Amino acid sequence: MVTALVLSGGTGSRLAADVPKQYIEAGGRPIIMYCLRQLSDHNGIDKIQIVADVKWQGQIRRWLAEEGIEEKCAGFSLPGANRQMSIHHGLEDIRRYAGEDDWVLIHDAARPLLSAAQITACLEASPGHDGVIPVLPMKDTVYLSADKKTISALLDRSQVFAGQAPELFRLGPYYAADQRLLPDEILKINGSTEPAVLAGMDMAMIPGDEGNFKITTREDLKVFLERLP
């Protein structure tokens, strides 16, 4: 079984909008509904767990019902102190109905341009691995700065990649990797795959999709609107 864990607990403060960015209406529907539609329509996704603040859960349910895609929604989880704690809350809820060898596909609600092809690519790359992460190659020269003021070293950009979402993990090992970081180290985690790497999980890399960007700024929102049909 594959459960999609959609992260929608952020406040979107950098966008300076009246509502969190994932709930802004764009192209006639809330941003969160774009990825929820893709995940709901995909035959490889069995259930969807959504991390969202209590005050938004009822509205999300109504949006799902309006689009007729509420069937796969397994429930809601509460946001945590940071992104990874939100994930941890979601994993704890998913473990109530999923097995240790089942899979969890983690995606951000603020990445509306998720494609069916990217979901499929993650699922197809999973056999023989503990997880899958889409990545993008670095196009620019990459430098290391220990003091954030001067260059300490030149990195080989052919060996450096930028991680994307969605990221796929075997539920049992990934939950255990998170558990090892509690209660403090988990608050230092920025990317979903970091706990897996720290725990030595076997993570396969697949090509990412440059169009699957995260809406963070007003410029991102403008680009997204321009790409809508």
Side-chain angles (χ1 to χ4, degrees), residues 178-194:
D178 254 17
Q179 285 283 89
R180 294 188 189 101
L181 299 174
L182 294 173
D184 299 322
E185 291 302 309
I186 197 169
L187 299 177
K188 302 175 185 178
I189 299 298
N190 296 307
S192 308
T193 298
E194 287 183 40

Side-chain angles (χ1 to χ4, degrees), residues 166-217:
E167 294 147 286
L168 181 69
F169 306 94
R170 269 203 309 132
L171 179 58
Y174 187 61
Y175 179 74
D178 254 17
Q179 285 283 89
R180 294 188 189 101
L181 299 174
L182 294 173
D184 299 322
E185 291 302 309
I186 197 169
L187 299 177
K188 302 175 185 178
I189 299 298
N190 296 307
S192 308
T193 298
E194 287 183 40
V197 173
L198 292 171
M201 290 174 60
D202 176 11
M203 294 295 300
M205 296 195 314
I206 62 171
D209 175 5
E210 289 190 356
N212 184 25
F213 62 90
K214 188 174 183 179
I215 295 178
T216 303
T217 66

Side-chain angles (χ1 to χ4, degrees), residues 20-223:
K21 58 192 173 186
Q22 62 272 27
Y23 305 128
I24 293 174
E25 185 173 305
R29 64 211 296 225
I31 286 173
I32 186 177
M33 294 309 299
Y34 288 90
C35 74
L36 288 178
R37 165 60 76 178
Q38 283 285 18
L39 292 165
S40 180
D41 288 348
H42 199 286
N43 291 332
I45 302 298
D46 300 292
K47 294 182 181 294
I48 300 173
Q49 186 79 23
I50 303 171
V51 175
D53 191 278
V54 171
K55 66 181 180 181
W56 284 100
Q57 292 177 11
Q59 181 61 69
I60 293 171
R61 285 192 183 279
R62 287 189 287 274
W63 287 330
L64 289 168
E66 287 172 4
E67 295 216 10
I69 57 172
E70 69 272 32
E71 183 177 351
K72 285 188 180 181
C73 182
F76 291 87
S77 301
L78 294 177
N82 71 339
R83 185 176 187 274
Q84 197 61 33
M85 276 305 303
S86 291
I87 290 173
H88 195 72
H89 290 173
L91 296 177
E92 289 182 324
D93 290 335
I94 291 170
R95 291 176 75 243
R96 296 175 184 172
Y97 55 81
E100 300 293 280
D101 288 327
D102 287 331
W103 296 86
V104 56
L105 184 82
I106 300 175
H107 191 66
D108 301 297
R111 289 183 186 266
L113 293 176
L114 173 65
S115 69
Q118 188 75 87
I119 299 171
T120 299
C122 285
L123 298 177
E124 290 182 345
S126 64
H129 300 284
D130 294 321
V132 181
I133 177 173
V135 299
L136 295 174
M138 301 302 294
K139 295 180 179 180
D140 299 314
T141 304
V142 183
Y143 300 97
L144 176 68
S145 175
D147 61 6
K148 299 182 181 179
K149 296 179 181 179
T150 58
I151 294 174
S152 306
L154 173 64
L155 303 180
D156 183 350
R157 68 181 180 188
S158 69
Q159 298 180 2
V160 179
F161 299 87
Q164 277 197 311
E167 294 147 286
L168 181 69
F169 306 94
R170 269 203 309 132
L171 179 58
Y174 187 61
Y175 179 74
D178 254 17
Q179 285 283 89
R180 294 188 189 101
L181 299 174
L182 294 173
D184 299 322
E185 291 302 309
I186 197 169
L187 299 177
K188 302 175 185 178
I189 299 298
N190 296 307
S192 308
T193 298
E194 287 183 40
V197 173
L198 292 171
M201 290 174 60
D202 176 11
M203 294 295 300
M205 296 195 314
I206 62 171
D209 175 5
E210 289 190 356
N212 184 25
F213 62 90
K214 188 174 183 179
I215 295 178
T216 303
T217 66
R218 288 190 177 277
E219 184 61 31
D220 295 331
L221 181 59
K222 180 181 178 181
V223 172

